[in-house]
Amino acid sequence: MKTIPFGAALLFGPALAIGGDLEVTAYAGRSLPNYTQTFNYTPAPVSSISGVTIDQKGVFTLEAKGGLAVGAGAIWYFGRVVGLEARLDTVSANIAMAGARFDARAQLPLPLPALAVSVDLTGGTAELQRLKPLSLNLRLKTPGPVHLAVSGGVSYLPEFQATATEPIGLGVTGISRGQIQVTTVTLRAGTSAVQPGKEGRLGANAGAALHIGVAPHVALVAEARAFIFKKRRLLWSAAEAPSSALGKQLLDDLLRQLPAVEFSPTFFQATAGLSVTF
């Protein structure tokens, strides 16, 4: 222990006074979010138009895709194999959305033919702000220049934003000139805690790493780690209101029955980097 970075000195200064080794690590890799959800709804009945049947084909799907994971940590070993680790991880993820199809059919009085229409409800989007968990862990390692290390502890996830927009078929609002008029609306969902007042910011993390010494006090590091946090809920609202009274009624019915999107910010990451021991 000769020269200590300023930030690490502030964090570990009191402990360093009684001896030990300080290891600083930086790493980057791939996040592997563990999230997928499908949901559907039964289109609201249209009592004011007789002979109309409506149906949803397929389900709406949200699935998280991996993104870039980067981070840094500092470990103070107060024994040969036992240490205290503080780390900051930053993780991005992409969420893909798949829509459904809205089918409507009207059986008109004979001899008029039946009418049918299908509306493709694709084009939804979702965005997730980069997650930045802070963690404090207990770390254990095997001795030697090539060694294994495991660590785990508590993590704090600052509040983040997640949004989703999706076109939804409301229902049939009229029949005009031999065509069925179908009203659609774009819904927007935003994050909130599953339970009001309980944001679920505390979680846990655990991981394992392989260190390979390449020079005195310098090692290559490969690590796999998992983070677990409580769910967030995305609550739907209308991005725009329908113009007709029947459309507004259908929207109110839809918002009452459409299930919320529950997003779990639980993810895994695989990273590699470099560590320096002082």
Side-chain angles (χ1 to χ4, degrees), residues 81-94:
V81 296
V82 182
L84 188 65
E85 176 185 39
R87 59 187 294 146
L88 168 65
D89 293 88
T90 67
V91 179
S92 65
N94 302 310

Side-chain angles (χ1 to χ4, degrees), residues 69-227:
V70 297
I75 307 113
W76 175 68
Y77 286 103
F78 50 83
R80 288 190 62 201
V81 296
V82 182
L84 188 65
E85 176 185 39
R87 59 187 294 146
L88 168 65
D89 293 88
T90 67
V91 179
S92 65
N94 302 310
I95 300 181
M97 294 188 68
R101 194 176 80 242
F102 186 91
D103 292 340
R105 182 179 177 84
Q107 185 63 54
L108 302 180
L110 294 176
L112 296 176
L115 301 177
V117 66
S118 293
V119 179
D120 189 9
L121 300 174
T122 58
T125 61
E127 295 183 0
L128 175 64
Q129 191 177 30
R130 178 174 283 271
L131 307 179
K132 300 177 181 179
L134 294 161
S135 304
L136 183 62
N137 300 330
L138 183 65
R139 188 176 180 94
L140 303 174
K141 70 172 184 175
T142 60
V146 178
H147 63 267
L148 294 173
V150 294
S151 66
V154 296
S155 296
Y156 172 82
L157 181 62
E159 198 58 49
F160 63 91
Q161 294 295 318
T163 59
T165 60
E166 179 63 49
I168 297 287
L170 286 180
V172 176
T173 54
I175 299 175
S176 176
R177 298 181 180 179
Q179 293 185 339
I180 299 176
Q181 297 176 345
V182 175
T183 297
T184 61
V185 66
T186 298
L187 298 185
R188 179 181 293 114
T191 49
S192 69
V194 171
Q195 296 179 353
K198 297 182 180 180
E199 290 80 4
R201 296 184 180 183
L202 286 181
N205 80 99
L210 173 64
H211 288 240
I212 302 175
V214 294
H217 307 293
V218 179
L220 297 176
V221 181
E223 183 189 70
R225 185 163 299 273
F227 293 84

